[in-house]
Amino acid sequence: MNTLQTLRFRVRCLYVITLLILPSLLQAGDDLEAALLDAARGGDAAVISQLMDAGVDANVQTASGYTPFILATYHAHTAAATALLAGGANPCATDERGSNALMGVAFRGHEAMAEWLLEQTPCSVNHRNLNGQTALMIAALFGREAMIEQLVAHGADPALADASGNTASSLAQAQGLTRVVNKLRFLIRAWIDEPCVTVRSASDALAISSA
């Protein structure tokens, strides 16, 4: 067998071997990505770091578009979110509906997790999903009073409307959440009267609007 024949033989062998092992390699990659998503969901920061050190993509997504970072914050796992951020996770990534991590946290009402996101990530507090909704609208819809104050303190605009024309206040009103509606009215008045003033609470808003 001459040199050219030997080379051709080796190429064919390599091609056959690749066909045999490629499915296993792809399956292994899928398994590692699934493990990262599970670790994020469960808050296992050590496993998250190990998987990312092994080369697993920190921004892998589920079929619904959830990233490990979205899952970790949704379940209020700050240590896991910190590990993901250190490993290159995009904190502003969105799911298939255009919602980001802060919006999921607003839905769950995790105030400490929300504060961490607002302080540690560059994402806009007024980010809108595909329906034009913001984290403040979601907090209002589910009656998260403390989170409403928290979001507005970090610059959330209570006057914004979604694609259907709903504001945070009208969404709360539709749910019969009178306390939330009244709080938002104060916040909106303060926002209009003093847009450059940081509003830390509804009592702050009342003081500003009464001045």
Side-chain angles (χ1 to χ4, degrees):
M1 184 180 293
N2 59 36
T3 303
L4 181 58
Q5 290 175 323
T6 301
L7 180 59
R8 287 175 175 169
F9 176 75
R10 289 178 178 175
V11 169
R12 288 178 185 141
C13 288
L14 180 60
Y15 176 72
V16 171
I17 292 171
T18 300
L19 289 178
L20 290 173
I21 68 172
L22 185 58
S24 297
L25 292 175
L26 292 174
Q27 181 61 49
D30 290 343
D31 289 346
L32 290 175
E33 290 178 350
L36 179 59
L37 291 164
D38 286 341
R41 192 179 290 107
D44 197 328
V47 171
I48 287 170
S49 296
Q50 292 170 0
L51 289 168
M52 289 191 300
D53 287 344
V56 181
D57 183 5
N59 295 302
V60 63
Q61 293 180 298
T62 68
S64 298
Y66 303 137
T67 64
F69 190 83
I70 289 175
L71 291 173
T73 54
Y74 184 82
H75 293 284
H77 298 312
T78 305
T82 301
L84 286 161
L85 202 58
N90 177 8
C92 305
T94 59
D95 62 22
E96 64 179 4
R97 295 182 177 85
S99 298
N100 63 7
L102 182 60
M103 300 179 84
V105 170
F107 170 73
R108 294 297 298 273
H110 297 313
E111 295 162 27
M113 189 76 256
E115 190 66 25
W116 184 89
L117 285 170
L118 292 164
E119 295 287 347
Q120 301 298 324
T121 69
C123 315
S124 171
V125 69
N126 290 310
H127 167 79
R128 296 169 179 267
N129 63 18
L130 298 180
N131 292 320
Q133 297 168 327
T134 65
L136 181 62
M137 292 177 195
I138 293 173
L141 182 63
F142 292 96
R144 314 292 191 199
E145 295 185 39
M147 184 163 290
I148 288 169
E149 294 185 3
Q150 183 180 29
L151 291 168
V152 172
H154 283 274
D157 185 349
L160 291 178
D162 65 17
S164 299
N166 299 306
T167 63
S169 181
S170 67
L171 288 168
Q173 189 167 18
Q175 298 299 313
L177 302 172
T178 305
R179 281 168 51 94
V180 173
V181 172
N182 290 335
K183 178 171 292 189
L184 283 163
R185 284 175 178 167
F186 284 131
L187 293 171
I188 290 171
R189 288 177 63 188
W191 183 273
I192 294 172
D193 294 341
E194 299 288 342
C196 295
V197 175
T198 298
V199 181
R200 291 292 177 185
S201 67
S203 58
D204 288 349
L206 179 59
I208 293 169
S209 61
S210 300

